Amino acid sequence: MGWLDVLHGLFAASAECCPVCGKDKRRPSDAFFPVRHAAPRQALQALCADCLGRIPWIVSTACPICGRPERCGDCLRRRNRHFARCRGAVRYDEAMKEWLALYKYRGLEKLEPVMASMLAAAVEPLLRTAGGFDWVTAVPLAEGRLEERGFNQAERLALRIAKWYRLPYRSLLRRVRNTEKQSRKGRRDRLEDMKGNFAVSSEQGPPGGSPPFPSRSDRSAPTAILLVDDIYTTT
Ligand SMILES: [Zn+2]
Ligand SMILES: [Zn+2]
């Protein structure tokens, strides 16, 4: 066996290994992929049948505003909302918690296409119904956290989404200060904590410090922004 054969064998083996569990397994042909775009489909096809079956897809949304799969009174009650629609791709269960931790904290980069592909399942219906987006942006990390982790997972995922769906990406927000973990707090505390955390990024804006929003004088439609984050906590 020549070295080229060895090299080929190595690549062939890695292509057959699931990026999540590393097991060498072939997927079943009738696997469910809730995305149409070829790139995210391909990333999901790299998963083994076990891992693929573990993804808790949100296939139907009961609340047209926040996209929760069950009926939701919150959105109807709330009059003051700062977003038009929110969509999540999967439920945040134990398996997803584990995958996200592998990617975010253990730096398992090969999980990134899988994560972005799951996100694509939430983005595609929005693209069909919302009539497109002017920009894609991501929820920023505080500087300290960015240094610690080395990357902003939301930004990485948003960049892939922007590339796949040919949408312009811009860093529209910056984090002014950081907060502790939000997941264990009640709604009121979370909202209180988040106040003043974000500001419009001046880096991307025109000189003079005005916000980096496009001039829409020729269009009556409001600017549609797709804001990407890795976890959505119900507010
Ligand atoms: Zn697997
Ligand atoms: Zn809702």
Side-chain angles (χ1 to χ4, degrees):
M1 200 192 250
W3 67 272
L4 261 177
D5 295 319
V6 174
L7 210 60
H8 179 76
L10 281 174
F11 280 119
S14 69
E16 291 301 319
C17 283
C18 169
V20 176
C21 65
K23 270 188 247 160
D24 180 8
K25 259 187 182 175
R26 287 181 186 277
R27 67 203 167 269
S29 56
D30 60 344
F32 173 68
F33 303 113
V35 281
R36 291 186 186 176
H37 193 293
R41 280 185 79 90
Q42 207 177 358
L44 291 170
Q45 276 164 358
L47 295 172
C48 73
D50 286 351
C51 289
L52 197 58
R54 225 170 274 153
I55 301 177
W57 297 109
I58 297 173
V59 282
S60 63
T61 54
C63 176
I65 306 296
C66 72
R68 261 192 262 185
E70 56 278 312
R71 284 181 68 83
C72 141
D74 292 3
C75 292
L76 296 171
R77 273 199 302 274
R78 206 168 309 147
R79 290 176 192 280
N80 190 13
R81 202 182 306 118
H82 302 287
F83 61 92
R85 250 174 273 189
C86 177
R87 288 295 180 270
V90 299
R91 288 174 186 270
Y92 191 51
D93 66 1
E94 284 307 314
M96 295 302 102
K97 212 176 266 185
E98 193 186 306
W99 292 18
L100 200 58
L102 283 173
Y103 168 54
K104 257 164 92 166
Y105 308 117
R106 308 263 309 267
L108 198 64
E109 267 189 68
K110 58 184 175 179
L111 271 187
E112 197 172 286
V114 176
M115 294 295 176
S117 301
M118 293 199 286
L119 201 60
V123 172
E124 284 191 4
L126 279 177
L127 282 170
R128 285 195 290 273
T129 56
F133 294 99
D134 296 288
W135 284 325
V136 181
T137 196
V139 173
L141 276 183
E143 256 177 44
R145 207 159 278 180
L146 190 61
E147 273 168 30
E148 203 177 276
R149 197 173 300 163
F151 67 100
N152 175 2
Q153 72 285 351
E155 186 183 62
R156 291 268 195 98
L157 301 177
L159 282 166
R160 277 184 191 261
I161 291 291
K163 191 176 162 212
W164 287 341
Y165 298 97
R166 293 164 189 249
L167 299 163
Y169 180 88
R170 283 188 88 167
S171 304
L172 295 175
L173 299 168
R174 66 189 169 88
R175 198 110 183 189
V176 179
R177 61 184 185 95
N178 215 351
T179 45
E180 295 158 40
K181 272 202 160 179
Q182 297 293 300
S183 45
R184 290 210 189 104
K185 291 179 186 159
R187 176 170 186 264
R188 190 183 289 249
D189 288 342
R190 279 205 305 267
L191 289 181
E192 205 50 50
D193 255 29
M194 295 306 277
K195 271 185 189 163
N197 273 11
F198 299 96
V200 172
S201 171
S202 56
E203 284 165 39
Q204 294 289 324
S210 48
F213 293 109
S215 163
R216 307 284 288 197
S217 52
D218 56 334
R219 286 176 63 177
S220 55
T223 305
I225 296 169
L226 177 65
L227 174 65
V228 173
D229 206 355
D230 54 337
I231 302 177
Y232 168 59
T233 312
T234 315
T235 54

